[in-house]
Amino acid sequence: MGQIIKILQLLLFALLILALIIPESYLILSITLSIALFMYFIFLFGKQDVILEFIVLMAIVQWLISPIISYEVFDKIPLMAVDARSYFDIILPSSILFSIAALYPFSKRKIIWNKNPKVLFVTTLMITLGFINYVSLPYLPGAFKNLAVNFNYLILIGFFYIFFIVEKYKTIATLLVLTYFLINAAKSGMFADILVWGFFFFNLYFQKKNYSFLFKLSFITISMLFFMPIQSLKQEYRQVIWHQNNKAGVNKIQLVTSLYKDYMLNPKKIMSAGSLSSYNGRLNQGAIISKTIEHVPKSEAFANGETIVRAIKASILPRLLNPSKPKIGGRHMYPRFTGQKLLGKTSANISPMGEAYVNFGPLGGAVFMFCFGLFLNFAISFCFIIAKKRSNFIFWIPLLFNSALFLGRDMHSILNSMSKTLFFIFFLYWGFRIIFKIKLF
């Protein structure tokens, strides 16, 4: 495995040099990078934790591959605000530097399993707290909702405890969690958690097995085919629920299952040019990044680190101590750095890559992305240092990196979510120790 890691690092450095020397070869370099990262991800999947590898792979898809599809395949749909050469001259070197820093093997991320049936009481308590919070969340004051939402994830973390440590009641726990996912997705119209926590589960599960490369490749390919209808049906589902405001008393769970069944039985709906274009458009973070390149510095000066400093301060200080703390969601930055207003309740973010550019320009932005990759690498390496002494901490790592799995948010959203989650885990750990005299991990 060590040789494969070394080969990847050498390849990344070679791609970086080629991107700087012959920038017009951005197409082949971007495709080579994505294929290499995908094969590397498949190789490591099941051998060690691959959260970082997944983050990097998805970022490359959003920043490079999806824009390539927009430029080369769906070129008649004007998603990209600048020409391809202007875009990739800036984004390709930054993406490679981010990949180098994030994937450098500072530590081993191998899970140490520790079976312990005695944690069943802890697990039951966590799941109970999670469901109580889930039911009561709509009635909580707005100031408490953002923090309280983390309690919902105790249902999933408790499920991990049962499935991987207790190993009793697996079937009941699995059915319970699948029911929760379906109801929650149907009620909210937000289906991302299915993909995110599905990945987190199989990231753990495959490390207990010894599957071949071909099996892992087949599994991921089939999983992508099952998730494509979910991405396709979201827009149709939201039109029925949100536009009609549920006045007709639509059964949301029945609607979701009906739409999913319809898409699965009619693959032409998924594979049509319109569906593929729409899917690529939602995936294409480069479309927003290209707007920042077109707008900054022509119409808006570089921020020179302003939004980064603000994001760090906001993630450290709670709103009580920092009344001017901006709200997350990107609505304050998107109009400023793209020159376009967001209509209604539409939410959009310029992503860490876009934020790196609007603050520091092409060169400084590339350096920042390298530093951001190091930050993610150090953060997860530190988590596994804790997990070596407290093995059950591995089940809390997904919650900590939940907001960073897809880098479509801005730095404030990512850092704020990670800091609040860290506080939540710390609060819960000591709460359980003091009140129940037990350790969570």
Side-chain angles (χ1 to χ4, degrees):
M1 191 164 74
Q3 288 296 110
I4 298 293
I5 295 173
K6 289 179 181 178
I7 291 171
L8 177 74
Q9 287 294 320
L10 288 173
L11 176 61
L12 291 176
F13 276 107
L15 290 173
L16 177 61
I17 293 170
L18 290 171
L20 296 174
I21 296 175
I22 44 175
E24 62 273 12
S25 61
Y26 64 84
L27 182 61
I28 187 64
L29 294 178
S30 297
I31 294 173
T32 302
L33 174 64
S34 62
I35 292 174
L37 291 175
F38 179 70
M39 300 303 283
Y40 183 67
F41 172 79
I42 300 294
F43 174 77
L44 289 184
F45 191 41
K47 296 180 182 293
Q48 67 167 47
D49 176 86
V50 288
I51 290 177
L52 268 183
E53 287 72 17
F54 186 86
I55 291 173
V56 173
L57 179 60
M58 290 309 302
I60 295 305
V61 170
Q62 291 178 290
W63 297 338
L64 299 179
I65 299 305
S66 190
I68 285 175
I69 294 172
S70 292
Y71 281 120
E72 301 295 330
V73 180
F74 301 116
D75 55 310
K76 293 182 180 180
I77 303 173
L79 279 180
M80 307 301 290
V82 295
D83 64 88
R85 180 66 185 275
S86 298
Y87 178 83
F88 286 100
D89 279 359
I90 295 171
I91 304 306
L92 180 56
S94 296
S95 299
I96 298 173
L97 280 170
F98 171 73
S99 303
I100 290 172
L103 299 181
Y104 189 84
F106 287 112
S107 63
K108 292 182 179 179
R109 288 178 275 128
K110 187 71 176 176
I111 292 176
I112 301 172
W113 298 104
N114 181 22
K115 292 183 181 179
N116 184 6
K118 293 181 180 180
V119 301
L120 183 59
F121 171 73
V122 182
T123 304
T124 305
L125 195 57
M126 283 196 296
I127 293 176
T128 303
L129 283 173
F131 273 110
I132 291 173
N133 182 77
Y134 177 71
V135 173
S136 60
L137 189 62
Y139 307 102
L140 291 177
F144 294 96
K145 281 187 178 180
N146 287 337
L147 184 60
V149 74
N150 275 327
F151 278 93
N152 286 357
Y153 291 114
L154 292 181
I155 299 170
L156 304 174
I157 296 171
F159 167 67
F160 288 167
Y161 271 72
I162 289 178
F163 200 94
F164 295 108
I165 299 180
V166 179
E167 295 196 333
K168 289 182 178 180
Y169 316 112
K170 278 186 179 182
T171 304
I172 296 173
T174 303
L175 291 173
L176 192 67
V177 167
L178 288 175
T179 302
Y180 163 76
F181 265 132
L182 181 59
I183 294 174
N184 187 53
K187 284 178 64 178
S188 64
M190 306 300 290
F191 298 87
D193 271 354
I194 298 175
L195 173 59
V196 170
W197 287 88
F199 162 72
F200 285 140
F201 171 77
F202 286 109
N203 178 42
L204 294 168
Y205 179 76
F206 269 59
Q207 291 181 71
K208 300 198 75 170
K209 306 295 179 179
N210 188 27
Y211 293 126
S212 67
F213 183 92
L214 183 59
F215 180 88
K216 291 185 288 185
L217 179 62
S218 302
F219 172 81
I220 290 174
T221 303
I222 293 171
S223 298
M224 290 169 62
L225 293 176
F226 272 97
F227 276 114
M228 282 185 70
I230 294 177
Q231 286 295 324
S232 300
L233 68 83
K234 282 197 304 185
Q235 188 174 2
E236 191 173 342
Y237 172 86
R238 289 169 182 171
Q239 284 176 349
V240 175
I241 299 300
W242 293 352
H243 290 186
Q244 295 183 7
N245 200 24
N246 205 25
K247 290 178 181 177
V250 177
N251 185 316
K252 295 180 179 180
I253 297 176
Q254 186 178 353
L255 176 62
V256 169
T257 53
S258 174
L259 288 173
Y260 187 82
K261 181 180 178 181
D262 183 45
Y263 274 97
M264 289 298 291
L265 294 177
N266 298 281
K268 287 183 179 180
K269 291 183 68 175
I270 305 172
M271 303 307 293
S272 67
S275 294
L276 292 175
S277 174
S278 177
Y279 182 72
N280 183 66
R282 289 193 297 271
L283 192 63
N284 187 0
Q285 192 64 36
I288 297 176
I289 297 171
S290 69
K291 290 180 174 65
T292 67
I293 296 173
E294 195 277 332
H295 191 68
V296 179
K298 183 176 68 175
S299 302
E300 174 73 27
F302 288 116
N304 295 319
E306 173 202 328
T307 69
I308 306 299
V309 172
R310 186 174 59 203
I312 294 172
K313 285 182 178 179
S315 65
I316 295 173
L317 296 174
R319 194 173 298 278
L320 186 65
L321 300 177
N322 183 17
S324 62
K325 180 176 179 177
K327 293 182 179 181
I328 61 173
R331 291 187 66 88
H332 63 289
M333 286 208 299
Y334 185 90
R336 175 183 172 184
F337 294 115
T338 66
Q340 298 179 355
K341 293 182 179 180
L342 291 172
L343 301 176
K345 296 182 179 180
T346 305
S347 179
N349 279 287
I350 63 174
S351 81
M353 179 66 79
E355 198 164 352
Y357 171 76
V358 301
N359 274 279
F360 308 111
L363 181 59
V367 173
F368 174 82
M369 289 308 297
F370 180 82
C371 294
F372 181 55
L374 285 179
F375 165 75
L376 293 177
N377 199 332
F378 289 153
I380 203 163
S381 296
F382 181 72
C383 288
F384 273 87
I385 290 173
I386 297 174
K388 283 182 181 179
K389 296 181 180 180
R390 302 173 182 271
S391 59
N392 291 347
F393 187 71
I394 59 171
F395 301 127
W396 297 86
I397 295 175
L399 184 59
L400 193 58
F401 283 84
N402 187 28
S403 65
L405 203 62
F406 297 98
L407 296 179
R409 304 181 179 186
D410 55 34
M411 291 299 299
H412 177 206
S413 301
I414 293 170
L415 295 180
N416 188 65
S417 178
M418 291 180 77
S419 65
K420 283 201 306 185
T421 302
L422 194 60
F423 170 78
F424 171 77
I425 294 172
F426 178 82
F427 166 79
L428 209 63
Y429 175 82
W430 284 106
F432 269 64
R433 286 207 65 177
I434 293 169
I435 298 172
F436 304 107
K437 310 298 181 185
I438 52 178
K439 295 180 180 180
L440 284 176
F441 45 82

